[in-house]
């Protein structure tokens, strides 16, 4: 089935809800993206060039990402937030309250020091996946201090685009 540009599959005959804004599926895409670690302290969290690509699938406005990034030797990153920059699309920033945020699944391997469980969220209006350590301060503001040579971050997340 091939449709003209700007058109899609129309599901309006199955109108199921009173607050539908669109029943047109007009976008599907698969691809890869290149990411980087960013530290709020301005320190360096270099990613090994062989391990800096993620994959994504976009269906309509819903994007699912997954990937693995391997840190080389970090410098000057104590007591800093960490986020992964370079997601393939910006997240929505127009829903109410906290509905713009999306949780993700994250696993941190070979940490330079003991670390609690790590979670994260795609920040509204950005293409950044913020990493957070649970426990301790609860904010994860010192996660960068746990990065060492060969620290790996495995992740997946699903978020909505504008």
């Amino acid at each position: 089935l091939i449709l003209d540009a700007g058109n899609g599959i129309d599901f309006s005959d199955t109108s199921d809800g009173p607050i539908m804004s669109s029943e047109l599926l007009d976008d599907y895409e698969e691809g890869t993206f290149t990411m980087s670690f960013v530290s709020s302290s301005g320190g360096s969290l270099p990613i090994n060039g062989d391990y800096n690509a993620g994959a994504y699938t976009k269906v309509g406005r819903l994007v699912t990402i997954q990937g693995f990034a391997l840190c080389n030797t970090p410098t000057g990153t104590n007591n800093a937030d960490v986020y992964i920059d370079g997601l393939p699309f910006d997240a929505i920033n127009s829903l109410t309250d906290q509905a713009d945020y999306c949780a993700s699944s994250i696993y941190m391997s070979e940490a330079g020091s003991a670390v609690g469980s790590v979670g994260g969220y795609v920040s509204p209006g950005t293409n950044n996946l913020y990493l957070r350590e649970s426990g301790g301060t609860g904010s994860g503001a010192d996660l960068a201090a746990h990065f060492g040579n060969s620290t790996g971050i495995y992740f997946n997340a699903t978020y909505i685009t504008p």
Side-chain angles (χ1 to χ4, degrees), residues 113-145:
S113 60
V115 64
S117 62
V118 177
Y121 63 91
V122 178
S123 185
T126 74
N127 66 342
N128 302 324
L129 173 60
Y130 282 81
L131 309 178
R132 290 290 183 260
E133 177 185 9
S134 64
T137 64
S139 71
D142 65 345
L143 188 61

PDB file of all heavy atoms in Angstrom, residues 113-145:
ATOM      1  N   SER A 113      32.152   3.484  40.826  1.00  0.00           N
ATOM      2  CA  SER A 113      31.916   3.346  42.262  1.00  0.00           C
ATOM      3  C   SER A 113      30.493   2.841  42.450  1.00  0.00           C
ATOM      4  O   SER A 113      29.705   2.818  41.508  1.00  0.00           O
ATOM      5  CB  SER A 113      32.115   4.692  42.969  1.00  0.00           C
ATOM      6  OG  SER A 113      31.225   5.660  42.465  1.00  0.00           O
ATOM      7  N   ALA A 114      30.161   2.437  43.676  1.00  0.00           N
ATOM      8  CA  ALA A 114      28.844   1.868  43.945  1.00  0.00           C
ATOM      9  C   ALA A 114      27.741   2.841  43.531  1.00  0.00           C
ATOM     10  O   ALA A 114      27.837   4.040  43.763  1.00  0.00           O
ATOM     11  CB  ALA A 114      28.716   1.541  45.428  1.00  0.00           C
ATOM     12  N   VAL A 115      26.712   2.299  42.918  1.00  0.00           N
ATOM     13  CA  VAL A 115      25.605   3.120  42.448  1.00  0.00           C
ATOM     14  C   VAL A 115      24.300   2.377  42.723  1.00  0.00           C
ATOM     15  O   VAL A 115      24.249   1.152  42.652  1.00  0.00           O
ATOM     16  CB  VAL A 115      25.758   3.446  40.938  1.00  0.00           C
ATOM     17  CG1 VAL A 115      25.692   2.203  40.086  1.00  0.00           C
ATOM     18  CG2 VAL A 115      24.745   4.466  40.476  1.00  0.00           C
ATOM     19  N   GLY A 116      23.267   3.131  43.094  1.00  0.00           N
ATOM     20  CA  GLY A 116      21.949   2.539  43.292  1.00  0.00           C
ATOM     21  C   GLY A 116      21.324   2.236  41.941  1.00  0.00           C
ATOM     22  O   GLY A 116      21.993   2.288  40.907  1.00  0.00           O
ATOM     23  N   SER A 117      20.055   1.955  41.932  1.00  0.00           N
ATOM     24  CA  SER A 117      19.404   1.705  40.648  1.00  0.00           C
ATOM     25  C   SER A 117      19.327   3.021  39.865  1.00  0.00           C
ATOM     26  O   SER A 117      19.247   4.101  40.429  1.00  0.00           O
ATOM     27  CB  SER A 117      18.018   1.105  40.852  1.00  0.00           C
ATOM     28  OG  SER A 117      17.191   2.001  41.544  1.00  0.00           O
ATOM     29  N   VAL A 118      19.376   2.894  38.562  1.00  0.00           N
ATOM     30  CA  VAL A 118      19.398   4.065  37.689  1.00  0.00           C
ATOM     31  C   VAL A 118      18.141   4.043  36.821  1.00  0.00           C
ATOM     32  O   VAL A 118      17.760   3.005  36.284  1.00  0.00           O
ATOM     33  CB  VAL A 118      20.653   4.070  36.795  1.00  0.00           C
ATOM     34  CG1 VAL A 118      20.644   5.257  35.836  1.00  0.00           C
ATOM     35  CG2 VAL A 118      21.909   4.085  37.650  1.00  0.00           C
ATOM     36  N   GLY A 119      17.493   5.180  36.727  1.00  0.00           N
ATOM     37  CA  GLY A 119      16.329   5.344  35.864  1.00  0.00           C
ATOM     38  C   GLY A 119      16.530   6.593  35.037  1.00  0.00           C
ATOM     39  O   GLY A 119      17.613   7.183  35.033  1.00  0.00           O
ATOM     40  N   GLY A 120      15.496   7.013  34.368  1.00  0.00           N
ATOM     41  CA  GLY A 120      15.653   8.226  33.584  1.00  0.00           C
ATOM     42  C   GLY A 120      14.362   8.667  32.955  1.00  0.00           C
ATOM     43  O   GLY A 120      13.323   8.023  33.093  1.00  0.00           O
ATOM     44  N   TYR A 121      14.434   9.787  32.263  1.00  0.00           N
ATOM     45  CA  TYR A 121      13.278  10.341  31.564  1.00  0.00           C
ATOM     46  C   TYR A 121      13.750  11.185  30.397  1.00  0.00           C
ATOM     47  O   TYR A 121      14.849  11.734  30.403  1.00  0.00           O
ATOM     48  CB  TYR A 121      12.407  11.179  32.505  1.00  0.00           C
ATOM     49  CG  TYR A 121      13.110  12.394  33.073  1.00  0.00           C
ATOM     50  CD1 TYR A 121      13.050  13.613  32.415  1.00  0.00           C
ATOM     51  CD2 TYR A 121      13.839  12.315  34.249  1.00  0.00           C
ATOM     52  CE1 TYR A 121      13.705  14.728  32.910  1.00  0.00           C
ATOM     53  CE2 TYR A 121      14.493  13.418  34.757  1.00  0.00           C
ATOM     54  CZ  TYR A 121      14.422  14.621  34.092  1.00  0.00           C
ATOM     55  OH  TYR A 121      15.078  15.722  34.587  1.00  0.00           O
ATOM     56  N   VAL A 122      12.911  11.263  29.375  1.00  0.00           N
ATOM     57  CA  VAL A 122      13.172  12.161  28.250  1.00  0.00           C
ATOM     58  C   VAL A 122      12.577  13.499  28.640  1.00  0.00           C
ATOM     59  O   VAL A 122      11.390  13.602  28.951  1.00  0.00           O
ATOM     60  CB  VAL A 122      12.556  11.623  26.951  1.00  0.00           C
ATOM     61  CG1 VAL A 122      12.792  12.602  25.811  1.00  0.00           C
ATOM     62  CG2 VAL A 122      13.141  10.258  26.599  1.00  0.00           C
ATOM     63  N   SER A 123      13.406  14.516  28.664  1.00  0.00           N
ATOM     64  CA  SER A 123      12.974  15.835  29.118  1.00  0.00           C
ATOM     65  C   SER A 123      12.102  16.515  28.063  1.00  0.00           C
ATOM     66  O   SER A 123      12.449  16.538  26.877  1.00  0.00           O
ATOM     67  CB  SER A 123      14.204  16.695  29.414  1.00  0.00           C
ATOM     68  OG  SER A 123      13.827  17.930  29.959  1.00  0.00           O
ATOM     69  N   PRO A 124      10.940  17.070  28.467  1.00  0.00           N
ATOM     70  CA  PRO A 124      10.029  17.714  27.520  1.00  0.00           C
ATOM     71  C   PRO A 124      10.701  18.806  26.693  1.00  0.00           C
ATOM     72  O   PRO A 124      11.479  19.605  27.208  1.00  0.00           O
ATOM     73  CB  PRO A 124       8.949  18.317  28.427  1.00  0.00           C
ATOM     74  CG  PRO A 124       8.994  17.503  29.670  1.00  0.00           C
ATOM     75  CD  PRO A 124      10.433  17.118  29.841  1.00  0.00           C
ATOM     76  N   GLY A 125      10.395  18.814  25.401  1.00  0.00           N
ATOM     77  CA  GLY A 125      10.916  19.842  24.510  1.00  0.00           C
ATOM     78  C   GLY A 125      12.368  19.661  24.121  1.00  0.00           C
ATOM     79  O   GLY A 125      12.941  20.539  23.486  1.00  0.00           O
ATOM     80  N   THR A 126      12.979  18.534  24.499  1.00  0.00           N
ATOM     81  CA  THR A 126      14.389  18.296  24.181  1.00  0.00           C
ATOM     82  C   THR A 126      14.553  16.932  23.518  1.00  0.00           C
ATOM     83  O   THR A 126      13.614  16.150  23.438  1.00  0.00           O
ATOM     84  CB  THR A 126      15.279  18.294  25.445  1.00  0.00           C
ATOM     85  OG1 THR A 126      15.062  17.075  26.181  1.00  0.00           O
ATOM     86  CG2 THR A 126      14.994  19.493  26.331  1.00  0.00           C
ATOM     87  N   ASN A 127      15.768  16.662  23.076  1.00  0.00           N
ATOM     88  CA  ASN A 127      16.128  15.324  22.604  1.00  0.00           C
ATOM     89  C   ASN A 127      17.158  14.719  23.560  1.00  0.00           C
ATOM     90  O   ASN A 127      18.142  14.123  23.158  1.00  0.00           O
ATOM     91  CB  ASN A 127      16.643  15.357  21.162  1.00  0.00           C
ATOM     92  CG  ASN A 127      17.944  16.107  21.021  1.00  0.00           C
ATOM     93  OD1 ASN A 127      18.338  16.880  21.888  1.00  0.00           O
ATOM     94  ND2 ASN A 127      18.635  15.869  19.921  1.00  0.00           N
ATOM     95  N   ASN A 128      16.909  14.885  24.870  1.00  0.00           N
ATOM     96  CA  ASN A 128      17.822  14.432  25.915  1.00  0.00           C
ATOM     97  C   ASN A 128      17.167  13.396  26.822  1.00  0.00           C
ATOM     98  O   ASN A 128      16.039  13.592  27.274  1.00  0.00           O
ATOM     99  CB  ASN A 128      18.271  15.604  26.793  1.00  0.00           C
ATOM    100  CG  ASN A 128      18.953  16.685  25.987  1.00  0.00           C
ATOM    101  OD1 ASN A 128      19.663  16.413  25.034  1.00  0.00           O
ATOM    102  ND2 ASN A 128      18.722  17.927  26.357  1.00  0.00           N
ATOM    103  N   LEU A 129      17.895  12.325  27.127  1.00  0.00           N
ATOM    104  CA  LEU A 129      17.473  11.312  28.086  1.00  0.00           C
ATOM    105  C   LEU A 129      18.275  11.533  29.363  1.00  0.00           C
ATOM    106  O   LEU A 129      19.476  11.280  29.399  1.00  0.00           O
ATOM    107  CB  LEU A 129      17.729   9.905  27.531  1.00  0.00           C
ATOM    108  CG  LEU A 129      17.484   8.732  28.475  1.00  0.00           C
ATOM    109  CD1 LEU A 129      16.033   8.693  28.943  1.00  0.00           C
ATOM    110  CD2 LEU A 129      17.872   7.422  27.799  1.00  0.00           C
ATOM    111  N   TYR A 130      17.617  12.077  30.405  1.00  0.00           N
ATOM    112  CA  TYR A 130      18.286  12.357  31.673  1.00  0.00           C
ATOM    113  C   TYR A 130      18.371  11.088  32.504  1.00  0.00           C
ATOM    114  O   TYR A 130      17.386  10.359  32.633  1.00  0.00           O
ATOM    115  CB  TYR A 130      17.539  13.451  32.445  1.00  0.00           C
ATOM    116  CG  TYR A 130      17.840  14.822  31.900  1.00  0.00           C
ATOM    117  CD1 TYR A 130      17.184  15.297  30.782  1.00  0.00           C
ATOM    118  CD2 TYR A 130      18.812  15.613  32.487  1.00  0.00           C
ATOM    119  CE1 TYR A 130      17.484  16.538  30.251  1.00  0.00           C
ATOM    120  CE2 TYR A 130      19.119  16.863  31.971  1.00  0.00           C
ATOM    121  CZ  TYR A 130      18.452  17.313  30.846  1.00  0.00           C
ATOM    122  OH  TYR A 130      18.757  18.540  30.323  1.00  0.00           O
ATOM    123  N   LEU A 131      19.535  10.817  33.063  1.00  0.00           N
ATOM    124  CA  LEU A 131      19.779   9.644  33.891  1.00  0.00           C
ATOM    125  C   LEU A 131      19.685  10.051  35.346  1.00  0.00           C
ATOM    126  O   LEU A 131      20.201  11.100  35.742  1.00  0.00           O
ATOM    127  CB  LEU A 131      21.167   9.061  33.599  1.00  0.00           C
ATOM    128  CG  LEU A 131      21.492   8.803  32.132  1.00  0.00           C
ATOM    129  CD1 LEU A 131      22.909   8.270  31.995  1.00  0.00           C
ATOM    130  CD2 LEU A 131      20.498   7.842  31.515  1.00  0.00           C
ATOM    131  N   ARG A 132      19.035   9.207  36.168  1.00  0.00           N
ATOM    132  CA  ARG A 132      18.860   9.508  37.584  1.00  0.00           C
ATOM    133  C   ARG A 132      19.150   8.280  38.418  1.00  0.00           C
ATOM    134  O   ARG A 132      18.724   7.180  38.090  1.00  0.00           O
ATOM    135  CB  ARG A 132      17.417   9.960  37.874  1.00  0.00           C
ATOM    136  CG  ARG A 132      17.101  11.318  37.302  1.00  0.00           C
ATOM    137  CD  ARG A 132      17.862  12.390  38.069  1.00  0.00           C
ATOM    138  NE  ARG A 132      17.544  13.707  37.626  1.00  0.00           N
ATOM    139  CZ  ARG A 132      18.293  14.416  36.802  1.00  0.00           C
ATOM    140  NH1 ARG A 132      19.397  13.919  36.313  1.00  0.00           N
ATOM    141  NH2 ARG A 132      17.952  15.636  36.484  1.00  0.00           N
ATOM    142  N   GLU A 133      19.877   8.488  39.513  1.00  0.00           N
ATOM    143  CA  GLU A 133      20.145   7.433  40.476  1.00  0.00           C
ATOM    144  C   GLU A 133      19.119   7.527  41.590  1.00  0.00           C
ATOM    145  O   GLU A 133      18.864   8.605  42.115  1.00  0.00           O
ATOM    146  CB  GLU A 133      21.548   7.601  41.062  1.00  0.00           C
ATOM    147  CG  GLU A 133      21.884   6.584  42.120  1.00  0.00           C
ATOM    148  CD  GLU A 133      23.227   6.825  42.784  1.00  0.00           C
ATOM    149  OE1 GLU A 133      23.843   7.890  42.546  1.00  0.00           O
ATOM    150  OE2 GLU A 133      23.650   5.961  43.546  1.00  0.00           O
ATOM    151  N   SER A 134      18.509   6.401  41.944  1.00  0.00           N
ATOM    152  CA  SER A 134      17.557   6.436  43.052  1.00  0.00           C
ATOM    153  C   SER A 134      18.302   6.261  44.364  1.00  0.00           C
ATOM    154  O   SER A 134      19.441   5.808  44.391  1.00  0.00           O
ATOM    155  CB  SER A 134      16.506   5.339  42.892  1.00  0.00           C
ATOM    156  OG  SER A 134      17.120   4.076  42.967  1.00  0.00           O
ATOM    157  N   GLY A 135      17.627   6.640  45.445  1.00  0.00           N
ATOM    158  CA  GLY A 135      18.266   6.565  46.757  1.00  0.00           C
ATOM    159  C   GLY A 135      19.159   7.775  46.985  1.00  0.00           C
ATOM    160  O   GLY A 135      19.200   8.697  46.185  1.00  0.00           O
ATOM    161  N   GLY A 136      19.904   7.794  48.072  1.00  0.00           N
ATOM    162  CA  GLY A 136      20.793   8.923  48.370  1.00  0.00           C
ATOM    163  C   GLY A 136      20.019  10.218  48.362  1.00  0.00           C
ATOM    164  O   GLY A 136      19.051  10.383  49.092  1.00  0.00           O
ATOM    165  N   THR A 137      20.408  11.131  47.527  1.00  0.00           N
ATOM    166  CA  THR A 137      19.728  12.421  47.437  1.00  0.00           C
ATOM    167  C   THR A 137      18.407  12.310  46.694  1.00  0.00           C
ATOM    168  O   THR A 137      17.581  13.191  46.782  1.00  0.00           O
ATOM    169  CB  THR A 137      20.607  13.448  46.696  1.00  0.00           C
ATOM    170  OG1 THR A 137      20.790  12.985  45.349  1.00  0.00           O
ATOM    171  CG2 THR A 137      21.938  13.629  47.367  1.00  0.00           C
ATOM    172  N   GLY A 138      18.260  11.254  45.934  1.00  0.00           N
ATOM    173  CA  GLY A 138      17.031  11.049  45.183  1.00  0.00           C
ATOM    174  C   GLY A 138      16.990  11.782  43.866  1.00  0.00           C
ATOM    175  O   GLY A 138      16.188  11.479  43.009  1.00  0.00           O
ATOM    176  N   SER A 139      17.870  12.754  43.654  1.00  0.00           N
ATOM    177  CA  SER A 139      17.819  13.516  42.415  1.00  0.00           C
ATOM    178  C   SER A 139      18.763  12.975  41.354  1.00  0.00           C
ATOM    179  O   SER A 139      18.613  13.265  40.185  1.00  0.00           O
ATOM    180  CB  SER A 139      18.188  14.979  42.672  1.00  0.00           C
ATOM    181  OG  SER A 139      19.571  15.079  42.961  1.00  0.00           O
ATOM    182  N   GLY A 140      19.739  12.205  41.769  1.00  0.00           N
ATOM    183  CA  GLY A 140      20.711  11.686  40.813  1.00  0.00           C
ATOM    184  C   GLY A 140      21.741  12.708  40.411  1.00  0.00           C
ATOM    185  O   GLY A 140      22.477  12.525  39.453  1.00  0.00           O
ATOM    186  N   ALA A 141      21.814  13.820  41.137  1.00  0.00           N
ATOM    187  CA  ALA A 141      22.693  14.923  40.757  1.00  0.00           C
ATOM    188  C   ALA A 141      24.173  14.575  40.855  1.00  0.00           C
ATOM    189  O   ALA A 141      25.001  15.348  40.416  1.00  0.00           O
ATOM    190  CB  ALA A 141      22.401  16.157  41.607  1.00  0.00           C
ATOM    191  N   ASP A 142      24.491  13.424  41.432  1.00  0.00           N
ATOM    192  CA  ASP A 142      25.904  13.058  41.512  1.00  0.00           C
ATOM    193  C   ASP A 142      26.223  11.829  40.670  1.00  0.00           C
ATOM    194  O   ASP A 142      27.268  11.209  40.828  1.00  0.00           O
ATOM    195  CB  ASP A 142      26.305  12.799  42.963  1.00  0.00           C
ATOM    196  CG  ASP A 142      25.605  11.590  43.557  1.00  0.00           C
ATOM    197  OD1 ASP A 142      24.615  11.124  42.963  1.00  0.00           O
ATOM    198  OD2 ASP A 142      26.054  11.108  44.604  1.00  0.00           O
ATOM    199  N   LEU A 143      25.368  11.471  39.743  1.00  0.00           N
ATOM    200  CA  LEU A 143      25.560  10.259  38.958  1.00  0.00           C
ATOM    201  C   LEU A 143      26.874  10.278  38.183  1.00  0.00           C
ATOM    202  O   LEU A 143      27.524   9.247  38.030  1.00  0.00           O
ATOM    203  CB  LEU A 143      24.389  10.033  38.005  1.00  0.00           C
ATOM    204  CG  LEU A 143      24.387   8.698  37.270  1.00  0.00           C
ATOM    205  CD1 LEU A 143      24.327   7.532  38.255  1.00  0.00           C
ATOM    206  CD2 LEU A 143      23.250   8.620  36.291  1.00  0.00           C
ATOM    207  N   ALA A 144      27.303  11.419  37.716  1.00  0.00           N
ATOM    208  CA  ALA A 144      28.542  11.503  36.938  1.00  0.00           C
ATOM    209  C   ALA A 144      29.738  10.999  37.733  1.00  0.00           C
ATOM    210  O   ALA A 144      30.691  10.460  37.161  1.00  0.00           O
ATOM    211  CB  ALA A 144      28.786  12.937  36.471  1.00  0.00           C
ATOM    212  N   ALA A 145      29.690  11.155  39.052  1.00  0.00           N
ATOM    213  CA  ALA A 145      30.801  10.689  39.887  1.00  0.00           C
ATOM    214  C   ALA A 145      30.966   9.176  39.839  1.00  0.00           C
ATOM    215  O   ALA A 145      32.026   8.651  40.161  1.00  0.00           O
ATOM    216  CB  ALA A 145      30.588  11.143  41.335  1.00  0.00           C
TER     217      ALA A 145
END
